[in-house]
Amino acid sequence: MKFAVIVFPGSNCDRDMYHAVKDGLGEEADLVWYENANLTDYDAILLPGGFSYGDYLRSGAIASVSNVLNQIKQKAEAGTPVLGVCNGFQILLETGLLPGAMLRNEKLKFMCHYETLVVERADTMFTSGYEKGQQIQIPIAHGEGNYYCDDRTLEELKRNNQIVFTYKNNPNGSRADIAGIVNEAGNVLGMMPHPERAVEDLLGSSDGLAMFQSVLQHWREMYVTTS
C-alpha cells in the first residue's frame, strides 16, 4: 500500500506522519510537495498537522484552495481513504469535505499533552483495529481545536453515525466532545489529536498505530484478498 503525505508551506507534522507509515506500519510513503503532486498512484492521502501558510486568514484556509485539493477531492469521491490530522482536519473543514468549523480553544490557550479519546465507532476503515467504547491515549497539540457545528449539522452527524472519536475530558470546548468525524461515505476522517505521534511505546503510547493498521487491513481486504 502506498501513502501520500501532503506537505504545504508551514506543515510540521509531515515527518511524524511519514515515520508512522514507513517505520510504524512498514508500508510505502512519500512526502509530496503540494505544488508537484500527482496523486494518481496513491492508495491513501494523509494531510498532516502544522500551520499551513502560517494560518493566514484562518487555519487551513489558504491550503484549502490550492490545486492539490482538487485531486484530493477526486480521490475522496473515488473512495480513497483521506485522513486529516490537526491542521489537516482544519483543511478538510475549509474545503467542505467535512462539515463544521474550528474555533480557538475555549480557554484561548495552546494545548500540548495526551488526552483520552473514546472510540465511538469501530466499524470504519480507520478504526476497525479498535473496540467500540475503547479508551485510547493520543496527544493533542493545537490552539484552534474547538470543533463547532450548528444544531442541524450536529443532528446530521449523529443520525449518520459520523462521530468517530470523542474526548473523555473535553479539553478545548468542542461541541458534543467531538474529537474526530468522518464524511457520510466513511472514507474521509478528520481529527484534532495526533495518532501519528502515538505509534510506539517509546513515544508514550502506541494507541495510534491501530488506526494506520486499520487502513491497511481495509485496503488488503479490498484489493489484495479479492485479486
Side-chain angles (χ1 to χ4, degrees):
M1 188 175 185
K2 192 173 181 180
F3 292 74
V5 180
I6 309 300
V7 184
F8 293 102
S11 297
N12 64 13
C13 300
D14 43 310
R15 267 62 179 179
D16 296 336
M17 197 72 88
Y18 177 87
H19 167 73
V21 173
K22 192 76 173 179
D23 303 315
L25 191 63
E27 293 295 314
E28 283 190 70
D30 289 327
L31 294 168
V32 179
W33 183 244
Y34 77 109
E35 288 182 314
N36 307 323
N38 180 347
L39 303 180
T40 304
D41 295 330
Y42 289 99
D43 303 303
I45 310 300
L46 306 176
L47 292 168
F51 302 91
S52 59
Y53 294 92
D55 282 351
Y56 184 65
L57 296 180
R58 296 181 307 278
S59 300
I62 303 299
S64 73
V65 295
S66 60
N67 287 334
V68 69
L69 262 299
N70 293 326
Q71 292 187 61
I72 293 173
K73 289 177 181 177
Q74 292 174 5
K75 298 288 281 187
E77 290 172 0
T80 300
V82 177
L83 169 64
V85 171
C86 197
N87 190 231
F89 186 13
Q90 294 162 340
I91 293 169
L92 292 175
L93 293 174
E94 289 286 340
T95 63
L97 283 171
L98 291 173
M102 207 62 72
L103 306 177
R104 293 187 67 184
N105 293 342
E106 192 172 49
K107 296 182 180 178
L108 305 181
K109 292 183 178 179
F110 186 90
M111 296 178 171
C112 184
H113 57 260
Y114 272 88
E115 276 290 334
T116 301
L117 305 187
V118 179
V119 179
E120 301 293 342
R121 287 190 58 186
D123 60 344
T124 77
M125 65 175 69
F126 301 96
T127 56
S128 61
Y130 300 110
E131 298 290 334
K132 179 177 171 57
Q134 182 179 347
Q135 296 185 12
I136 58 176
Q137 298 298 311
I138 304 290
I140 63 169
H142 57 247
E144 297 181 28
N146 181 359
Y147 178 78
Y148 174 79
C149 62
D150 59 22
D151 292 343
R152 179 179 177 181
T153 300
L154 182 59
E155 287 305 311
E156 289 177 351
L157 289 174
K158 292 178 177 177
R159 183 171 60 251
N160 297 330
N161 207 17
Q162 291 175 249
I163 300 172
V164 177
F165 296 109
T166 56
Y167 296 107
K168 182 180 179 182
N169 304 299
N170 191 341
N172 50 31
S174 288
R175 183 127 202 228
D177 302 327
I178 287 173
I181 57 174
V182 288
N183 62 345
E184 286 190 51
N187 67 306
V188 178
L189 170 65
M191 60 188 297
M192 287 310 293
H194 290 264
E196 79 281 5
R197 294 183 180 178
V199 296
E200 52 187 312
D201 292 335
L202 183 64
L203 299 174
S205 171
S206 58
D207 288 349
L209 184 58
M211 176 174 297
F212 299 98
Q213 292 171 332
S214 298
V215 175
L216 176 59
Q217 180 63 29
H218 171 78
W219 180 80
R220 285 175 172 167
E221 291 174 355
M222 290 292 293
Y223 301 108
V224 178
T225 58
T226 58
S227 64

